[in-house]
Amino acid sequence: MQITILLYPDFETLDVFGPVEIFGKVPDWRIQYYSQNGGLICNQDNISISTENFASIPQNIDTLFIPGGPGTRSLIQQTDFIQQLKSLAQKSKYVLTVCTGSALLAKTELLDGRKATSNKRVFDWVKTSSAKTKWIEKARWITDGKYYTSSGISAGMDMALAFVQNRTDKNTAEKIATRIEYHWQQDSQQDAFCSNNQLN
Amino acid sequence: MQITILLYPDFETLDVFGPVEIFGKVPDWRIQYYSQNGGLICNQDNISISTENFASIPQNIDTLFIPGGPGTRSLIQQTDFIQQLKSLAQKSKYVLTVCTGSALLAKTELLDGRKATSNKRVFDWVKTSSAKTKWIEKARWITDGKYYTSSGISAGMDMALAFVQNRTDKNTAEKIATRIEYHWQQDSQQDAFCSNNQLN
């Protein structure tokens, strides 16, 4: 299994590296980092990480992974990026998003008619990305066909473990959670942060 | 507040980026990444991140942060690194470790006579780093003077939130946990992973 991670300036740190911690513990799963033009990608936590460009992405994508973050605000308006994202998602076996990454994916129209979720703090903004997506506010994560979308930031880790469970088995996912000393919330419909829409 | 993060080859991903996600949400806290010789530092999850070298670290260190990871096994035997780490830790106002990062710190002898904890899976190995450290196995994290040590990987996030609480206030830490949709385990003595010493 190859995990193809898409990065962009001002991606959210834990959206990426929570799931990466988990995927990296599955035998034979490999992780690669890409951005539109390649090179070093920086974010608000002063991280500067090496990426290859979109042209380097292999034709057959196992799993496409799209994080959220402050950078989505401008990225969602870049038609060329959204078109490239659509093309990549269409040829991916699975597509996973964390937080506002689902807004980017919804903008491609590939979530039209499908259920999806996102960060609770900015849910109203996310919904503007696509009126045809069936947005579910109360969910830790949502699976609809090949698409997995998760709520804010930390929720990506619970989704990642569920994805590992679905591709391998529950025992493998539980062993990873124990190994990384993480309390895995296994119920996707339990969402303690749903009614919380504070703005700070 | 300046957070000075020490990286090395094969650091554990979430040890670093879980706490970074939290520190980055505190107003006026800044994060910098350093390694012994600077440049790109890579790990087992294929992350390649930019760092400055140890010589670039400012004289007055607010908070020194030491992650764990597979790389600690060889690093702990490198006398020059341990000496540099000791010097950096001595001039830091606070020193935080996650997972096997506490073995590196203990090796400097700065934890002699102090309480500390670490990852449960490799606790026996960690204890060999210093017989004079009072190793506490059952703890999510331990605070002793200016030293904060946490258990394995995900435990670093709970410790990071406690550190934010201690430096600011509880409300600030709780708001960050809510913002990142993270279930903060606030009780440092509760440790569900303590009796788990499986080897895989």
Side-chain angles (χ1 to χ4, degrees):
Chain A
M1 171 77 84
Q2 181 82 25
I3 309 284
T4 299
I5 296 193
L6 301 192
L7 295 181
Y8 49 82
D10 288 334
F11 68 88
E12 188 74 30
T13 299
L14 193 63
D15 285 19
V16 176
F17 298 115
V20 158
E21 173 70 38
I22 290 160
F23 298 148
K25 295 280 181 290
V26 187
D28 302 325
W29 286 27
R30 291 197 68 244
I31 304 162
Q32 295 282 351
Y33 306 85
Y34 298 92
S35 65
Q36 199 170 21
N37 300 312
L40 286 174
I41 294 292
C42 306
N43 80 354
Q44 65 281 359
D45 294 327
N46 222 6
I47 294 170
S48 188
I49 177 172
S50 287
T51 64
E52 296 180 70
N53 64 17
F54 279 3
S56 310
I57 299 177
Q59 275 303 304
N60 295 315
I61 303 173
D62 291 331
T63 299
L64 189 70
F65 182 94
I66 310 157
T72 56
R73 299 287 177 141
S74 58
L75 203 57
I76 204 165
Q77 295 171 34
Q78 293 174 28
T79 315
D80 62 328
F81 176 87
I82 296 298
Q83 279 305 320
Q84 288 174 311
L85 177 60
K86 183 171 188 169
S87 168
L88 292 168
Q90 281 174 320
K91 58 186 180 187
S92 299
K93 204 166 170 186
Y94 303 103
V95 181
L96 277 60
T97 73
V98 178
C99 198
T100 49
S102 60
L104 297 176
L105 182 60
K107 189 73 174 179
T108 67
E109 301 180 344
L110 290 173
L111 290 181
D112 284 7
R114 291 188 182 273
K115 287 184 282 185
T117 195
S118 190
N119 186 305
K120 305 312 161 197
R121 277 178 65 247
V122 293
F123 211 78
D124 288 342
W125 175 76
V126 169
K127 284 194 285 188
T128 65
S129 64
S130 162
K132 292 180 181 168
T133 299
K134 295 173 186 167
W135 294 106
I136 310 289
E137 190 162 359
K138 189 182 175 192
R140 189 69 172 163
W141 74 90
I142 295 271
T143 309
D144 190 335
K146 75 177 191 179
Y147 299 99
Y148 287 66
T149 56
S150 89
S151 287
I153 309 179
S154 306
M157 295 183 68
D158 293 327
M159 178 190 72
L161 285 163
F163 182 70
V164 169
Q165 174 182 343
N166 294 350
R167 301 285 79 73
T168 62
D169 53 64
K170 190 168 184 176
N171 185 44
T172 300
E174 283 181 334
K175 276 162 82 171
I176 292 172
T178 300
R179 183 171 167 188
I180 68 170
E181 300 189 15
Y182 179 71
H183 293 278
W184 177 19
Q185 185 193 307
Q186 299 192 20
D187 182 354
S188 66
Q189 294 181 46
Q190 194 183 314
D191 185 2
F193 303 99
C194 180
S195 60
N196 195 310
N197 277 301
Q198 56 195 34
L199 292 169
N200 59 306
Chain B
M1 171 79 83
Q2 182 81 25
I3 309 284
T4 299
I5 296 193
L6 301 193
L7 296 181
Y8 49 84
D10 289 333
F11 67 88
E12 189 73 32
T13 299
L14 193 62
D15 284 19
V16 177
F17 298 116
V20 158
E21 173 70 38
I22 289 159
F23 298 147
K25 295 280 181 289
V26 186
D28 302 325
W29 286 27
R30 292 197 68 243
I31 304 162
Q32 296 282 352
Y33 306 85
Y34 299 91
S35 64
Q36 199 171 20
N37 300 310
L40 287 175
I41 294 292
C42 306
N43 80 354
Q44 65 282 0
D45 294 327
N46 221 6
I47 294 170
S48 187
I49 178 173
S50 287
T51 64
E52 295 180 69
N53 63 17
F54 279 3
S56 310
I57 299 178
Q59 275 303 305
N60 296 316
I61 303 174
D62 291 333
T63 299
L64 189 69
F65 182 93
I66 309 157
T72 55
R73 299 284 178 145
S74 58
L75 204 56
I76 204 164
Q77 295 170 33
Q78 293 174 28
T79 315
D80 61 329
F81 176 86
I82 297 297
Q83 278 304 320
Q84 287 174 314
L85 177 60
K86 183 170 187 170
S87 168
L88 291 168
Q90 282 174 320
K91 58 188 181 186
S92 299
K93 204 165 170 187
Y94 303 102
V95 181
L96 277 59
T97 72
V98 178
C99 197
T100 49
S102 60
L104 298 176
L105 182 60
K107 189 74 175 178
T108 68
E109 302 180 342
L110 290 173
L111 291 181
D112 284 7
R114 291 188 181 273
K115 287 184 284 185
T117 195
S118 189
N119 186 305
K120 304 312 161 197
R121 275 179 67 247
V122 293
F123 210 79
D124 288 341
W125 175 77
V126 169
K127 283 192 286 187
T128 65
S129 65
S130 161
K132 292 181 180 167
T133 300
K134 296 174 186 165
W135 294 106
I136 310 288
E137 189 161 0
K138 189 181 176 194
R140 189 71 171 161
W141 75 91
I142 295 270
T143 309
D144 189 335
K146 74 177 192 179
Y147 299 99
Y148 287 67
T149 56
S150 89
S151 287
I153 309 179
S154 306
M157 296 182 68
D158 294 326
M159 178 190 72
L161 284 163
F163 183 69
V164 169
Q165 174 182 343
N166 293 351
R167 301 285 81 71
T168 61
D169 54 63
K170 190 168 185 176
N171 185 44
T172 300
E174 283 182 333
K175 277 162 82 170
I176 291 172
T178 300
R179 184 171 166 188
I180 68 170
E181 299 189 15
Y182 179 71
H183 293 278
W184 177 21
Q185 184 192 307
Q186 299 191 19
D187 181 354
S188 67
Q189 295 182 47
Q190 194 183 316
D191 186 2
F193 302 99
C194 180
S195 60
N196 195 310
N197 277 304
Q198 57 195 33
L199 291 170
N200 58 310

